[in-house]
Amino acid sequence: MLPKIELHLHLEGAAPPAFIRGLAKEKSIDVGGIFDERGNYSYRDFWHFLKVYEAATSVLQTPQDYARLTRAVLEDCAASGVVYAETFVSPDFCGGRDIGAWREYLHAMQEAAAQVAAQGGPELRGIVTCIRHFGPDKARETALCAAETVGGFITGFGIAGDEKAGKPVDFAWSFDCAREAGLRLTAHAGEWGGPDSIRDALRDLGVERIGHGVRAIEDLALVDELAERGTVLEVCPGSNIALGVFPDWRAHPIAELDRRGVKVTVSTDDPPFFHTTMEREYQMLHRAFEWDDGQFRRLNRTALDAAFCDADTKARIAKTLEAA
Ligand code: ADE
Ligand code: ZN
């Protein structure tokens, strides 16, 4: 199994359904009908997915819950050969954007991650993420939480949620604040929005990576621009197919974007929601496009170059990639 780098992973979205059910039972919380008859997450479309995601997240109520979640997620990462991951974490869900509470949640996640890494498990870093449909005011509070906790674990700032809510420019203050605090920047765009949503995120938020970005393929001038700028796409093919952005693996543009010189990487987004793992993403890409070990190694080097961690961590991870 190849060692893998994963750059786009929502911490709550990676929660195994059994983990959420267990926590709901312990706390006697009724999360509603968010599971199907097999116990998997159940949703109709992307917007319903966001609601189910938030319902599942409602059982995560203490720093200790997030420590347990971090361990559970890293266990799944390790099972797919992931050696380094960056995960989206949101002060919205961790203490309601209160800086004191956020510090406690962060401490719990960071400590859990450090324990896993010390035992030879994957290294984890956090990207503080505002939620677009919660609006620009809450995003500002989120950015302030991020700016207050820049350091070893928190390396980046981003935006997720409903891409059709508001415009990137509404969030420019938050991204400026995060940049000034020394955070690296990424934004979800070009998943539900078309090519202009990617142009807007690049221009108004000044991001160096785009979450998804796959709908750039609808505008080849933009594809050339992404290639020239060296913008890295955090592509999540299994997520796109599960949510119906593309009908099937062969129709996914990742291989075409790669051929046209765009820096693509591969991640799972919210793996249990989309019935996927990093191992499965690689298998399906191999089947659809005959990508081989050489191609996957190239992909992982691109991902490591684009990672938001410090140079020493990168050098360590590079050795692991080379040794395999
Ligand atoms: N939050 C969790 N997963 C997401 C996705 N794929 N797009 C936007 N927001 C998300
Ligand atoms: Zn995402």
Side-chain angles (χ1 to χ4, degrees):
M1 191 164 54
L2 276 176
K4 302 174 181 70
I5 310 273
E6 174 155 39
L7 298 181
H8 189 116
L9 179 69
H10 298 262
L11 190 61
E12 298 89 1
F19 175 86
I20 294 296
R21 264 195 304 281
L23 218 48
K25 197 167 171 209
E26 270 176 38
K27 296 171 189 267
S28 303
I29 298 170
D30 178 8
V31 286
I34 66 168
F35 302 111
D36 64 17
E37 66 284 357
R38 292 170 141 188
N40 293 315
Y41 294 114
S42 168
Y43 53 88
R44 290 184 298 278
D45 56 22
F46 174 68
W47 292 272
H48 188 219
F49 154 79
L50 289 176
K51 289 210 160 57
V52 170
Y53 185 111
E54 284 161 27
T57 299
S58 71
V59 309
L60 298 159
Q61 298 176 335
T62 67
Q64 183 54 28
D65 295 341
Y66 269 84
R68 287 166 69 182
L69 173 63
T70 302
R71 281 191 286 270
V73 170
L74 286 171
E75 204 175 296
D76 285 350
C77 286
S80 265
V82 172
V83 294
Y84 174 86
E86 292 182 359
T87 188
F88 297 119
V89 288
S90 301
D92 297 273
F93 302 132
C94 299
R97 298 175 305 281
D98 174 82
I99 181 65
W102 166 242
R103 283 186 196 283
E104 286 176 27
Y105 278 83
L106 189 56
H107 178 73
M109 291 185 271
Q110 185 166 2
E111 201 172 58
Q115 279 166 3
V116 170
Q119 289 162 3
E123 286 266 355
L124 186 69
R125 295 293 182 273
I127 299 173
V128 173
T129 302
C130 60
I131 312 292
R132 190 152 160 175
H133 55 276
F134 292 176
D137 292 346
K138 287 181 177 155
R140 279 188 204 101
E141 294 175 21
T142 300
L144 290 170
C145 284
E148 288 282 330
T149 51
V150 178
F153 184 72
I154 294 298
T155 55
F157 185 75
I159 183 166
D162 183 356
E163 227 184 90
K164 299 211 160 153
K167 289 265 171 216
V169 71
D170 304 336
F171 300 90
W173 188 94
S174 297
F175 277 75
D176 288 346
C177 169
R179 184 187 306 103
E180 282 165 24
L183 288 160
R184 310 274 296 271
L185 305 176
T186 177
H188 281 63
E191 178 190 20
W192 298 101
D196 279 347
S197 73
I198 299 168
R199 286 205 168 87
D200 291 351
L202 291 171
R203 186 191 60 233
D204 296 332
L205 305 181
V207 294
E208 60 184 290
R209 296 189 340 212
I210 295 279
H212 299 285
V214 282
R215 289 191 54 195
I217 202 67
E218 295 166 23
D219 179 343
L220 295 181
L222 175 61
V223 171
D224 288 346
E225 192 185 327
L226 293 174
E228 268 161 38
R229 292 172 77 125
T231 304
V232 172
L233 302 189
E234 305 155 5
V235 183
C236 309
S239 160
N240 296 153
I241 292 153
L243 289 170
V245 181
F246 302 101
D248 57 47
W249 283 82
R250 303 280 318 245
H252 195 281
I254 186 170
E256 180 69 10
L257 289 163
D258 179 54
R259 266 195 298 277
R260 289 177 177 273
V262 178
K263 290 186 175 173
V264 297
T265 62
V266 170
S267 297
T268 57
D269 212 5
D270 308 280
F273 282 88
F274 308 135
H275 306 282
T276 198
T277 62
M278 279 293 272
E279 188 61 14
R280 177 176 174 270
E281 297 288 317
Y282 279 44
Q283 279 168 5
M284 299 305 277
L285 288 166
H286 168 69
R287 270 195 228 166
F289 304 116
E290 292 172 20
W291 280 8
D292 58 11
D293 275 10
Q295 172 72 0
F296 289 123
R297 285 177 196 277
R298 196 161 69 76
L299 221 63
N300 278 306
R301 276 195 301 270
T302 301
L304 186 57
D305 278 347
F308 289 163
C309 61
D310 61 279
D312 286 352
T313 306
K314 278 196 195 190
R316 223 171 340 107
I317 304 294
K319 280 201 184 128
T320 310
L321 293 187
E322 280 156 24

